[in-house]
Amino acid sequence: MGEDTDSTPALNHHGFLPDHNYVTEADIISTVEFNHTGELLATGDKGGRVVIFQREPESKTEPFSQGEYNVYSTFQSHEPEFDYLKSLEIEEKINKIRWLPQQNAAHFLLSTNDKTIKLWKVSERDKRPEGYNLKDEEGRIKDISTVTSLQVPVLKPMDLMVEVTPRRVFANAHTYHINSISVNSDYETYMSADDLRINLWHLDITDRSFNIVDIKPANMEDLTEVITAAEFHPHHCNLFVYSSSKGTLRLCDMREAALCDKHSKLFEEPEDPSARSFFSEIISSVSDVKFSHSGRYLLTRDYLTAKVWDLNMESKPLETYQVHDYLRSKLCSLYENDCIFDKFECAWNGSDSVIMTGAYNNFFRMFDRNTKRDVTLEASRESSKPRAVLKPRRVCAAGGKRRKDDISVDSLDFTKKILHTAWHPNENIIAIAATNNLYIFQDKLNSEMH
């Protein structure tokens, strides 16, 4: 999979070709999200900015230009703040972006930092009114005594302008850091999750939300787990799932009770006692959970594996994929450099047949659920050249037999990590965030995976 590949050159977060020698913290991409049609792609960064890319329509003169994404709009979503009551700085970093389904000419998206969620309207303007009776060309109010005749204002064409305006600000509802937002399938409500609570909001009401999950113990010394991610079911507006640092998934039904502290289903894999180690609990923490488009399956990512769960089977995952099992012998050094706490995301393709997730050394992994084949690919400057071929890569475990082009696990660069990925909802187009660069690969997917 992923051989004959068109790709957009590696753009940095502002859509310019990057200077690879210098990366500022503010430019590091922290989230990537396609809209429901895949025509728009939004990225958020640690500097609180959101950049929206738009897919170019197919050109008759340049048939290969279809699929190129160019910068459509850039705006500052969040600014750094200070909580004076708690003497805490609130980072401007964008934790998550979620698009609302398009219902008119404008687009709407939710963006959140650690504390505040904002609803943004993205609209286009290509006409401007002219010929006011009471205003001059500069927009200043005229002296009424100089107005001797009435005219009908007209709309004149102008250069296309993309306007981004904040429509709602949802604040002051989270004591802890927000890690997830998810729009409900009723398109009227959404939820936001932090370490210990999940709140339900109505998109039109900013001054109150309903607490639907609260796992905070009476005594914080009894705290054993935190919420790591949460998502609504794609079709049933009453169902949602949340994952925990203990590696469990809880499916909740809002029809059963207003407060969903008692789950409907608990998905948990029994631990193998023989494999238990000091790191077991850390690497079993679920960093991301995603419903399949069909709503039948759940995809989760922990430190070393990606798992597919069937909603009808709670006892164990349906499928387990080893993302980078060669790191198992390196857990001690990964703990010392804090990499073991990295939170990798995961994504489904449009037909739920292939899953994708990131790894280190700017590698990302794809697993075909039908053929059981998998591939390791690299997001790099070379692979992002137009008409480039994505060559499968292979990592050789320490002490293992190396083949030509194999990479030793000891030479992996752990500062280059693919945490955030997104898959176009219908087509084989993927977006990969590698530090401050965004790689967009448009695959003419071959069915075989090496």
Side-chain angles (χ1 to χ4, degrees), residues 156-220:
K156 291 280 183 73
M158 60 178 266
D159 290 339
L160 181 69
M161 196 166 77
V162 180
E163 293 181 318
V164 182
T165 48
R167 298 307 298 268
R168 307 267 189 282
V169 176
F170 306 88
N172 305 320
H174 285 277
T175 308
Y176 307 98
H177 291 178
I178 298 170
N179 55 46
S180 305
I181 49 175
S182 179
V183 180
N184 201 346
S185 60
D186 61 12
Y187 306 147
E188 287 189 352
T189 56
Y190 76 91
M191 70 177 170
S192 55
D194 66 24
D195 296 334
L196 297 178
R197 297 188 181 103
I198 300 175
N199 292 334
L200 180 70
W201 301 82
H202 192 285
L203 283 160
D204 290 332
I205 301 169
T206 60
D207 59 355
R208 66 181 180 273
S209 61
F210 296 97
N211 180 230
I212 52 174
V213 172
D214 187 345
I215 65 167
K216 183 174 184 279
N219 182 354
M220 283 295 272

Side-chain angles (χ1 to χ4, degrees), residues 110-372:
L110 289 166
S111 64
T112 185
N113 67 352
D114 285 341
K115 297 289 182 182
T116 305
I117 306 148
K118 296 184 182 182
L119 175 67
W120 297 90
K121 179 184 179 182
V122 184
S123 54
E124 293 182 354
R125 206 149 57 106
D126 61 357
K127 293 183 177 67
R128 70 168 182 268
E130 280 187 9
Y132 284 111
N133 291 293
L134 301 178
K135 289 181 185 174
D136 62 17
E137 300 302 320
E138 307 293 320
R140 292 187 296 257
I141 303 293
K142 290 181 185 175
D143 180 354
I144 294 177
S145 62
T146 64
V147 179
T148 55
S149 62
L150 291 177
Q151 56 183 340
V152 178
V154 292
L155 288 172
K156 291 280 183 73
M158 60 178 266
D159 290 339
L160 181 69
M161 196 166 77
V162 180
E163 293 181 318
V164 182
T165 48
R167 298 307 298 268
R168 307 267 189 282
V169 176
F170 306 88
N172 305 320
H174 285 277
T175 308
Y176 307 98
H177 291 178
I178 298 170
N179 55 46
S180 305
I181 49 175
S182 179
V183 180
N184 201 346
S185 60
D186 61 12
Y187 306 147
E188 287 189 352
T189 56
Y190 76 91
M191 70 177 170
S192 55
D194 66 24
D195 296 334
L196 297 178
R197 297 188 181 103
I198 300 175
N199 292 334
L200 180 70
W201 301 82
H202 192 285
L203 283 160
D204 290 332
I205 301 169
T206 60
D207 59 355
R208 66 181 180 273
S209 61
F210 296 97
N211 180 230
I212 52 174
V213 172
D214 187 345
I215 65 167
K216 183 174 184 279
N219 182 354
M220 283 295 272
E221 288 178 8
D222 299 331
L223 184 69
T224 57
E225 65 180 331
V226 294
I227 297 166
T228 55
E231 189 175 61
F232 268 120
H233 190 283
H235 311 304
H236 301 302
C237 61
N238 53 292
L239 294 177
F240 67 92
V241 68
Y242 69 92
S243 58
S244 90
S245 56
K246 277 192 165 177
T248 60
L249 302 171
R250 290 176 174 87
L251 185 75
C252 301
D253 189 338
M254 292 192 290
R255 293 174 302 185
E256 289 181 7
L259 189 63
C260 300
D261 286 354
K262 292 190 173 67
H263 49 267
S264 303
K265 290 191 174 187
L266 174 69
F267 300 85
E268 186 173 22
E269 187 170 24
E271 189 183 28
D272 178 4
S274 63
R276 177 147 187 86
S277 73
F278 171 75
F279 305 109
S280 294
E281 200 163 302
I282 302 170
I283 63 173
S284 68
S285 175
V286 175
S287 54
D288 195 19
V289 58
K290 295 269 169 57
F291 273 103
S292 61
H293 296 83
S294 67
R296 170 74 187 268
Y297 304 103
L298 289 165
L299 170 61
T300 63
R301 174 67 207 266
D302 56 39
Y303 191 63
L304 294 178
T305 67
K307 293 172 182 170
V308 174
W309 300 78
D310 188 326
L311 285 192
N312 298 330
M313 186 170 78
E314 300 162 65
S315 57
K316 61 178 182 180
L318 195 63
E319 300 150 22
T320 300
Y321 300 98
Q322 300 297 333
V323 177
H324 39 207
D325 202 46
Y326 45 78
L327 295 183
R328 207 172 280 277
S329 61
K330 295 268 175 201
L331 293 178
C332 202
S333 56
L334 291 165
Y335 177 76
E336 285 168 5
N337 64 16
D338 279 350
C339 284
I340 202 168
F341 301 106
D342 285 335
K343 293 175 169 55
F344 292 95
E345 294 173 8
C346 50
W348 296 90
N349 73 339
S351 62
D352 299 334
S353 61
V354 181
I355 62 172
M356 171 175 65
T357 189
Y360 292 107
N361 211 66
N362 276 1
F363 289 168
F364 58 98
R365 303 272 280 134
M366 288 186 177
F367 302 91
D368 189 311
R369 298 181 57 215
N370 299 324
T371 64
K372 301 302 177 195

